[in-house]
Amino acid sequence: MDYLPHVLIGLMLVFVLFQMLPLARAYLMRGKPMPDVAGLIDGRLLEEGRLLFYFSSPRCPMCRSMTPVIERLAAQHANIIKVDVSENIDLARKFGVMGTPTVVLVRAGKVDRMLVGAKSEKQVRALLEG
């Protein structure tokens, strides 16, 4: 029974590392070229230089609270692209999305920021306008 505390600590460590994996992947995506999005968005948007991709899923509880925020902002900003990962899993994989909701800011054709998890309207607006 002397090994039980070590096993529990090891399991907790694995759990914490597993939770950090999407954040680490998001950090590693910075500076990488944007994947090919032909057919998904209008070519004129690509020329704007700044795009915000919102990856969500209909089964995601956090997405249900964040989607109305994104829809309000999308009514004001044409450069927001909403992607349902259940319909477009390939694009989500190309961007390295491991969980929803995820917001990806692309500037000048490269991934600038990638935020995992629900974000407030203030945080998303700061990405758009910053």
Side-chain angles (χ1 to χ4, degrees):
M1 286 302 220
D2 293 333
Y3 62 88
L4 187 61
H6 298 289
V7 170
L8 291 175
I9 290 171
L11 287 173
M12 288 189 320
L13 183 62
V14 168
F15 178 76
V16 169
L17 290 175
F18 184 72
Q19 297 298 316
M20 299 299 289
L21 188 61
L23 298 174
R25 185 125 185 216
Y27 179 78
L28 293 173
M29 283 298 294
R30 283 184 170 185
K32 293 199 176 187
M34 175 179 66
D36 182 26
V37 292
L40 180 66
I41 62 173
D42 186 1
R44 290 177 284 164
L45 282 176
L46 290 173
E47 296 170 6
E48 277 192 34
R50 181 182 286 210
L51 298 171
L52 188 95
F53 290 86
Y54 170 62
F55 293 90
S56 65
S57 171
R59 294 186 202 109
C60 166
M62 287 191 292
C63 297
R64 288 187 204 123
S65 65
M66 191 169 165
T67 298
V69 169
I70 295 295
E71 287 174 350
R72 276 194 305 274
L73 291 171
Q76 301 167 2
H77 301 274
N79 59 340
I80 296 178
I81 297 98
K82 296 180 282 185
V83 181
D84 183 345
V85 296
S86 64
E87 295 176 4
N88 203 338
I89 190 71
D90 290 335
L91 184 62
R93 285 186 182 139
K94 288 178 185 177
F95 269 99
V97 173
M98 295 183 67
T100 56
T102 296
V103 176
V104 179
L105 177 67
V106 175
R107 283 189 194 180
K110 294 189 179 194
V111 175
D112 185 56
R113 300 269 324 260
M114 192 170 182
L115 304 175
V116 180
K119 303 298 173 202
S120 69
E121 184 170 348
K122 183 179 178 181
Q123 290 171 308
V124 177
R125 192 176 295 277
L127 276 178
L128 285 168
E129 298 168 358

